[in-house]
Amino acid sequence: MDTANEKPRLVLIGNGMAGMRTVEELLKLKPDMYHITVFGAEPWGNYNRIMLSPVLASEKTVDEIMLNDDAWYAERGITLHKGRRIERIDRVNRRVIAEDGTEAPYDRLLLATGSDPVMIPVPGHELEGVVAFRDIHDVDAMLAASRAHQHAVVIGGGLLGLEAANGLMRQGMEVTVVHLMDHLMERQLDAEAAGMLRGSLEERGMRFRMAHQTETILGEDRVTGVRFTDGSEVEADLVVMAVGIRPNTALAESAGLHCERGVVVNDTMQTYDPSIYAVGECVQHRGATYGLVAPLWEQAKVCANHLAEYGIGRYEGSMTSTKLKVTGIDLFSAGDFTGDETTEDLVFKDAARGVYKRLVLKDNRIQGAVLYGDTLDGSWYFQLMRDATPVADIRENLLFGQAHIGDSGHGDEASRVAAMPDEAEICGCNGVCKGEIVQAISEHKLFTLEDVRAHTKASNSCGSCTGLVESVLATTLGGDYSDAPAKKPVCACTDHSHDEVRAAISRDGLKTMDAVFEALDWKTPNGCHVCRPALNYYLLAAWPKDYQDDAQSRFINERAHGNIQKDGTYSVVPRIWGGVTTPAELRAIAEVAERYQVPTVKFTGGQRIDLLGVKKVDLPAMWRDLGDAGFVSGHAYGKALRTVKTCVGSEWCRFGTQDSTGLGIQLERMTWGSWTPHKFKMAVSGCPRNCAEATIKDLGVVCVDSGYELHVGGNGGVKVRATDFLCKVETEAEVLEYAGAFMQFYREDARYLERTAPWIERVGLTRVKERLVDDADYRAALYARFLESQEVAQVDPWAERAAGHAAHEFIPITPVDAAPRQGVSA
Amino acid sequence: MSWLAICPLEDIPSLGARVVAGPNGDIAVFRTADDRVFALRDQCPHKGGPLSQGIVHGERVTCPLHNWVIDLQSGEATGADSGCTHAFPIRVTDGQVWLDLSGATGDAADDPAAAPVACREAG
């Protein structure tokens, strides 16, 4: 039986980036679902069109920008017709017909016909030497002209025109850029930044004719010059038209599909004919057309999802940012920077250094950004813009960049990364250095963080180097790299984001993991190691008393109640309330350590004792012995309340203003056993000398004469972040209420594995203050919910297991030598 | 072949694993959501992590040390990783789990159909 003939047939028209990206996404989801046929009008394989600028500038070769070669198609059983333009779509009989007569029937058709360069129809535009800047053929023509001729004119002072002009200049030509407007890149830059850009391009030798309109291209056979409407002329052996692109809708229109500026598609990327999909530059979605790569990635994902018949992804339009791919010129723009009476501008200008930054704010949120000369923070501003993060609290430092917002450890990542040698280690967990990542990006044509994670393991463990890896991507790919889409799915098992999953759990009353899988159309039967722990946490947080915790969805540390170490042994950390112990307790710990031959006994950074190198099989007995001495689990393994660090406070310290030790113990007694999105640490310092280092904790209390200062969102981890000041209170009871309410807000709002520091940077301190400080009722309600969930949470997992619970986890099956033997014929 | 009775199926948690002490090191016995069982050498091909302690999903397990995802059938790393750990023939009859360790002691598996053994341990 020939199964290939029974599969539905998918035909792709357009062997470019958008179409092939969709096919790749589809192959990831359902590799064997379709028999796939691809038609490409160009005689080449699939290549990275946006890298044509570096090819023109001789920074890359054509081979380096090829994405998939013929073997790639063959290996996946895809039929590829190169150099065959489709002439007609026969929708009645569901087949496509190419110019040369090749036909292919389809069940689903995918249009990715891209766009055509706009050629201004002035007299002479058909002369030899007049080219567009669109494909490898154009680049070849421009390179050939640069070898034989001297004078080039580029019509169009937009992104594409300037990249073409830069490339031609790099090839040794004299280049004049002609622009209709009086400032360059008017869709991306304000007048100020455009002026600075023009200045530095002029310094490199580029000439400009601003506010000039082309009247005629001069010449007999080959172009010799350009004449403008004001009568002036300029000499030219090559004219590049780079005035824009127009979605290629001719084929779709001839097939009777509804087209306006582009082929009109809905949120599922379907055209007027539901069996025909369209993606990329040829489409018009909610009135918008796109010519950048990031939206295309998002469209491809949604389209593949529907082709795979999962039917849950929706494309809701894209917010885009722009970088200029001209080496040595840093330029970034995103969003709407025109501004009006409802917006305000934050502007930084240092003409001597050639730095200009302008942020347009509306309702305390970034609406647009233009950066020139220093674009390191572009992706950060873009993230703040997409997340609609309120910036009121950080606006005084906003223009100075992320490095000045409470990050005392590392400074800006992008410039550090650019300066790093290849041997520099990027991912400490997995020992991946910069060179390996760069090599993987070039060799495997990687575009996204996910791809880099899959191929190199960088950023795949603790994730703290994610920013560095993104910077390596950005510096390696240049303007080609776009941050992942704003809406990040939890993992590859679903298209839903963390926030959507949480919302659905409470809204629809989903109380089991299977209910979530079913209601949200999970793609895998039982999730994966990424989504299951997240779902288990969300269900637990939403229904503390109803949800049955799923041990098999917890990472081994939480399932075995100890930290797994590199050799498969575990570490045991008993809780020592507020860091205060007694000789009897120390003696008990010492005896247990000796009894179980613990190889290493160590103090942790949070004032607890770590017993390292314990065999898993010994854990329950050791816990029983510790339990007999009065200890409970320290939860050092969990995404949970870890420790409350203290100083000696007013009891002993000559500077201590309050009983910081006693308060720390109270806090720990109240909060132990609570599960949180990530580990949660607290500290109480008895005076502003801050010996307990309270200002780098998730919640820190600094005692002062008149009461207690509360600080939140600190982190002493990979990326050091000092806390934000939340408020000041007067009594210990208030400290407890605020601490419980803050933890509960974090538990209900943050995404799984998001610590308080990035969470606060994402949602904004203002929002936290609104709920906790300004709204006493809301604070009280949060606190009540916290205490309610603590009623069932404060069960010592060590005691349960010492008593025999989940014994299968710790006891190996009887060794085979002792098992009954039986010969069974197969 | 030499089938050894290991334990009743219900002694292995669904989507979980048990460890069997074998003559040449631990063997991880996995149970999927639909009650199929698989046995692998309890060592990730990456850095020897105990696969028995990982999260089981579909027909795969994720190593707890560095998140390599190993195919339970073949013992091979999935995704962009490459490497393989030994898979042992295993089956369930009448609720009893049986394991064949002849491959582990050096004997050639004489019944390749019992369970696919896709690779040999290195060394």
Side-chain angles (χ1 to χ4, degrees), chain A residues 283-586:
Chain A
V283 310
Q284 176 182 331
H285 172 263
R286 297 193 189 180
T289 59
Y290 296 98
L292 296 164
V293 72
L296 166 168
W297 272 196
E298 295 177 45
Q299 292 174 359
K301 229 178 167 115
V302 171
C303 188
N305 185 289
H306 285 269
L307 286 170
E309 294 181 346
Y310 287 123
I312 46 175
R314 277 179 75 207
Y315 179 66
E316 296 172 21
S318 298
M319 216 179 254
T320 56
S321 66
T322 310
K323 284 177 185 166
L324 183 68
K325 284 190 288 299
V326 171
T327 310
I329 291 187
D330 291 323
L331 185 154
F332 174 91
S333 92
D336 178 7
F337 55 86
T338 45
D340 55 35
E341 62 281 356
T342 68
T343 64
E344 49 181 336
D345 279 2
L346 298 181
V347 181
F348 174 93
K349 187 179 175 187
D350 182 344
R353 274 202 304 139
V355 175
Y356 171 81
K357 302 179 184 183
R358 175 158 164 252
L359 297 176
V360 180
L361 304 187
K362 184 170 186 173
D363 301 329
N364 263 316
R365 288 167 171 83
I366 297 177
Q367 183 183 274
V370 180
L371 308 177
Y372 184 83
D374 175 4
T375 57
L376 294 174
D377 287 300
S379 57
W380 180 53
Y381 294 135
F382 193 42
Q383 192 65 45
L384 292 173
M385 186 167 102
R386 284 188 302 195
D387 290 343
T389 304
V391 295
D393 311 301
I394 51 174
R395 62 181 280 163
E396 61 181 348
N397 286 321
L398 196 58
L399 281 173
F400 299 107
Q402 193 172 17
H404 293 264
I405 312 293
D407 172 11
S408 55
H410 293 274
D412 63 74
E413 286 171 342
S415 65
R416 276 201 306 137
V417 167
M420 275 179 179
D422 278 354
E423 309 80 60
E425 189 174 80
I426 299 283
C427 174
C429 300
N430 297 300
V432 188
C433 63
K434 181 185 167 189
E436 283 176 67
I437 299 175
V438 171
Q439 196 186 351
I441 293 169
S442 318
E443 248 174 41
H444 301 291
K445 319 289 180 198
L446 310 181
F447 287 100
T448 66
L449 181 63
E450 287 307 313
D451 292 341
V452 174
R453 282 184 179 150
H455 281 89
T456 68
K457 293 292 146 192
S459 153
N460 209 18
S461 294
C462 79
S464 61
C465 62
T466 301
L468 291 177
V469 175
E470 286 185 321
S471 297
V472 175
L473 262 168
T475 50
T476 309
L477 296 174
D480 202 356
Y481 172 67
S482 331
D483 296 308
K487 183 181 140 183
K488 289 186 187 171
V490 175
C491 64
C493 299
T494 178
D495 285 329
H496 294 284
S497 66
H498 283 269
D499 298 344
E500 287 170 344
V501 170
R502 285 204 98 157
I505 287 173
S506 358
R507 184 189 61 229
D508 303 336
L510 309 175
K511 294 196 175 177
T512 65
M513 197 128 3
D514 284 339
V516 176
F517 289 151
E518 198 184 323
L520 298 179
D521 292 313
W522 233 250
K523 297 173 194 170
T524 47
N526 33 61
C528 71
H529 66 280
V530 178
C531 58
R532 285 233 311 273
L535 293 183
N536 190 55
Y537 170 76
Y538 291 148
L539 288 161
L540 201 62
W543 321 109
K545 294 192 170 169
D546 295 347
Y547 175 65
Q548 182 63 46
D549 186 68
D550 177 23
Q552 301 306 338
S553 295
R554 286 188 178 273
F555 183 63
I556 184 61
N557 282 2
E558 292 183 354
R559 196 171 351 119
H561 301 280
N563 278 326
I564 193 167
Q565 304 297 339
K566 59 186 279 188
D567 60 354
T569 64
Y570 289 79
S571 68
V572 168
V573 181
R575 194 166 286 292
I576 296 178
W577 308 95
V580 178
T581 185
T582 62
E585 283 185 348
L586 290 173

Side-chain angles (χ1 to χ4, degrees), chain B residues 12 16-17 28-32 36-40 51-52 56 61 72:
Chain B
I12 309 171
V29 177
F30 302 91
R31 176 175 169 187
T32 62
R36 284 168 307 139
V37 294
F38 298 94
L40 298 179
L51 296 173
S52 57
V56 178
V61 61
L72 293 178

